[in-house]
Amino acid sequence: MYLRHGTFSYLPDLTDAEIAAQVRYALLNGWPVSIEYTDDPHPRNAYWEMWGLPLFDLDEPDGVLAEIDACRATFPRHYIRVLAYDASYTRQTTALSFLVQRPPDEPGFTLTRTEGPDRVQTYGLHAYAADHRQGQRYGG
């Protein structure tokens, strides 16, 4: 089971040209772009580690792509995503978010079911990768 996270999560992985096109779209809309990474991709883990500072005042996607490549080189076994923020609502609002890298081997998730009082069942997700310590989750 692949991680389904962000705007294009049900499509095949984006190529670098497709990533550049999406970044260009964000920049044309005046949305600052940031790059984040994690090795804990649980769906409720919304706060990933930020790669550098958000990239403001860019006109072309080349600077963003260079930062994505640097992040990929540093963290080859992590999830990496691009976020674009829309400040037109006078607050930080995510306008676009998509994955640009997955680990080579994704162990996936398991669905856990717990039965409680009165036969009430609750469900949860457990990432197989979380069975290992941070930094060692994807063969690191």
Side-chain angles (χ1 to χ4, degrees), residues 11 14 24 42 56 75 78 99:
L11 296 175
L14 299 177
R24 181 174 283 113
H42 191 280
F56 295 99
F75 299 104
H78 283 61
L99 290 175

Side-chain angles (χ1 to χ4, degrees), residues 104-127:
D105 178 42
E106 289 184 272
F109 295 86
T110 184
L111 181 67
T112 59
R113 181 176 70 188
T114 305
E115 193 161 328
D118 297 326
R119 299 184 58 133
V120 173
Q121 296 179 352
T122 57
Y123 294 90
L125 286 177
H126 174 75

Side-chain angles (χ1 to χ4, degrees), residues 14-22 24 65:
L14 299 177
T15 65
D16 285 348
E18 292 168 334
I19 292 168
Q22 294 305 318
R24 181 174 283 113
L65 295 175

Side-chain angles (χ1 to χ4, degrees), residues 47-108:
Y47 299 106
W48 294 15
E49 299 290 328
M50 186 176 283
W51 175 261
L53 296 173
L55 304 168
F56 295 99
D57 299 327
L58 294 178
D59 295 329
E60 290 295 320
D62 298 338
V64 177
L65 295 175
E67 291 298 320
I68 289 171
D69 288 340
C71 188
R72 284 175 173 166
T74 305
F75 299 104
R77 293 182 175 94
H78 283 61
Y79 290 92
I80 300 174
R81 71 179 175 191
V82 171
L83 291 103
Y85 298 101
D86 183 2
S88 66
Y89 297 112
T90 66
R91 60 186 178 273
Q92 182 176 321
T93 304
T94 303
L96 182 64
S97 170
F98 58 95
L99 290 175
V100 295
Q101 175 177 293
R102 299 174 183 276
D105 178 42
E106 289 184 272

Side-chain angles (χ1 to χ4, degrees), residues 2 8 15 25 36 46 53 62 84 104:
Y2 278 121
F8 307 109
T15 65
Y25 175 79
E36 297 181 348
L53 296 173
D62 298 338

